[in-house]
Amino acid sequence: MILSIESSCDDSSLALTRLEDSKLLWHAKISQEQEHSAHGGVVPELASRLHAHNLPLLLQRAKEFLGGKTPFAPLKAIAITTRPGLAITLLEGLMMAKTLALSLKLPLISVDHLKGHLYSLFINQLHARFPLSVLLVSGGHTLIIEADSPTDMRIIAKSLDDSLGESFDKVARMLGLGYPGGPEVEKCANLCPAGEQYPLPLPLKQKSALAFSFSGLKNAVRLAVAKTQPLSQELQAQICAGFQTTACAHLLHKVRAYLEHARVRCFGLVGGVSANAYIRTQLEILCAQFGVELLCAPLEFCTDNAAMIGRAGVESYHNEEFVDLRTLDISPHTEILESVG
């Protein structure tokens, strides 16, 4: 089996994945949501300190799960998220990975976090499916990625400004809701009667470019909030519903444009925001119109987790894609290149 480690942002996570059949044997995560909620978002220095505390606790749990006098004997490799993410938190995971690899004399596998999200579609599945296109919507990214194989991936579209997940968080903060913003905005939007959502402008409506943008939509919410103070619960729900509906319409507008010109049989939805039930439902309807099969990551593996890093690591292990412990480093940038033309 391989031990995988994820610390790219504010979730500390470890997992054990069996190599022969990609079965997830054990997975644990410690969230930092409560600690960051008072600040309305992730504080990198605080996140790093919490990783330094939480990762050893998770390693002890993994050790107890494995049991025996030599619990780590079944391990064949260590898979670690090295990019993209917060440098200060990525380093916490990397230090643990290098220490384990050195002490246990195991090879290291470097995993790109975005590839990890793609592999969240195939946790507990022996084979990943290629070619595949995915919409990745998370706190740090809003992307369309084409993947012809595990080693041939490219970014087709990205956000010109904020990510969708970041926008959910900022809208929640404007409305005095909790953190993380995605679930809070969705819950509040569900209180709005059908057809009564606050009208907001659709981003890039007249632009043919295959790209996303949420800064204008976020500013429109700010102006709506400024109009009426204090906000009633009714207006809160209407603004949340308006934001969620418009953000989803923007996603669908661009995904539709992509599907009209790309040969896609299988389309995936991954990332933390992919847990949003409204977005899932609307994208399923759109894919059905094009005869495209929609794959969605299981809800428990939408947000950052080591299980998806382990599943990606299994693929790398079988392809003997190991890295040098002495030179392996972290990076805030993905290794997936943007498509040209």
Side-chain angles (χ1 to χ4, degrees):
M1 64 187 75
I2 63 173
L3 172 70
S4 52
I5 304 169
E6 159 62 24
S7 66
S8 64
C9 192
D10 62 334
D11 285 328
S12 305
S13 184
L14 266 65
L16 294 164
T17 307
R18 193 159 61 197
L19 285 163
E20 68 171 320
D21 58 4
S22 303
K23 181 176 176 57
L24 179 63
L25 301 175
W26 174 85
H27 172 247
K29 180 166 76 171
I30 299 178
S31 172
Q32 302 178 7
E33 289 178 0
Q34 184 175 351
E35 289 83 355
H36 293 287
S37 61
H39 307 282
V42 177
V43 180
E45 293 79 5
L46 174 59
S48 178
R49 292 197 298 271
L50 291 170
H51 281 304
H53 178 266
N54 294 334
L55 287 172
L57 298 179
L58 292 172
L59 186 63
Q60 180 60 33
R61 291 189 205 173
K63 186 177 179 180
E64 292 168 358
F65 171 82
L66 290 167
K69 293 183 178 180
T70 54
F72 295 131
L75 297 183
K76 297 298 182 184
I78 308 293
I80 172 68
T81 304
T82 55
R83 61 171 63 201
L86 299 174
I88 197 170
T89 62
L90 286 168
L91 280 171
E92 294 294 340
L94 182 63
M95 286 189 290
M96 172 177 276
K98 285 190 173 186
T99 301
L100 288 170
L102 185 63
S103 60
L104 299 173
K105 296 180 173 59
L106 293 173
L108 271 175
I109 297 170
S110 173
V111 179
D112 187 298
H113 184 75
L114 304 189
K115 288 186 178 181
H117 272 302
L118 186 148
Y119 275 95
S120 67
L121 296 168
F122 308 112
I123 293 172
N124 283 319
Q125 296 182 33
L126 181 58
H127 299 293
R129 295 173 59 181
F130 296 100
L132 171 73
S133 296
V134 299
L135 172 65
L136 193 164
V137 279
S138 68
H141 303 277
T142 303
L143 306 167
I144 295 177
I145 299 174
E146 281 184 351
D148 290 332
S149 73
T151 57
D152 185 6
M153 299 183 184
R154 55 203 166 274
I155 296 172
I156 301 300
K158 65 177 184 178
S159 176
L160 301 175
D161 37 66
D162 295 343
S163 71
L164 180 54
E166 180 185 7
S167 299
F168 265 105
D169 287 340
K170 290 179 178 178
V171 167
R173 195 183 312 161
M174 291 178 204
L175 293 170
L177 303 177
Y179 174 84
E184 294 297 325
V185 170
E186 182 179 13
K187 182 167 61 176
C188 187
N190 289 338
L191 300 176
C192 177
E196 293 187 17
Q197 60 264 30
Y198 194 95
L200 294 168
L202 184 68
L204 303 183
K205 184 178 181 180
Q206 305 301 326
K207 303 289 185 180
S208 59
L210 197 57
F212 303 100
S213 174
F214 298 98
S215 61
L217 178 58
K218 183 185 64 180
N219 189 55
V221 171
R222 182 185 64 80
L223 294 174
V225 172
K227 279 183 179 179
T228 310
Q229 290 292 338
L231 286 172
S232 65
Q233 289 185 334
E234 180 182 13
L235 186 56
Q236 268 189 330
Q238 290 173 342
I239 292 175
C240 282
F243 172 77
Q244 178 176 265
T245 302
T246 307
C248 181
H250 176 47
L251 289 176
L252 296 180
H253 176 63
K254 296 304 179 179
V255 172
R256 175 183 290 277
Y258 170 71
L259 293 178
E260 285 175 346
H261 297 94
R263 294 183 179 181
V264 179
R265 293 183 179 179
C266 197
F267 194 82
L269 176 63
V270 300
V273 185
S274 72
N276 183 289
Y278 180 78
I279 291 176
R280 283 191 173 216
T281 299
Q282 296 304 309
L283 188 57
E284 184 176 19
I285 293 172
L286 177 63
C287 286
Q289 293 174 1
F290 284 87
V292 172
E293 180 182 3
L294 177 65
L295 303 180
C296 293
L299 290 176
E300 62 183 309
F301 300 126
C302 288
T303 54
D304 298 346
N305 63 86
M308 69 186 192
I309 303 304
R311 181 62 188 84
V314 167
E315 206 80 38
S316 294
Y317 182 90
H318 291 310
N319 291 327
E320 299 183 349
E321 296 170 351
F322 304 119
V323 292
D324 189 332
L325 181 148
R326 296 167 297 179
T327 59
L328 179 62
D329 203 353
I330 56 89
S331 172
H333 307 294
T334 180
E335 63 184 355
I336 304 175
L337 300 178
E338 293 182 36
S339 177
V340 178

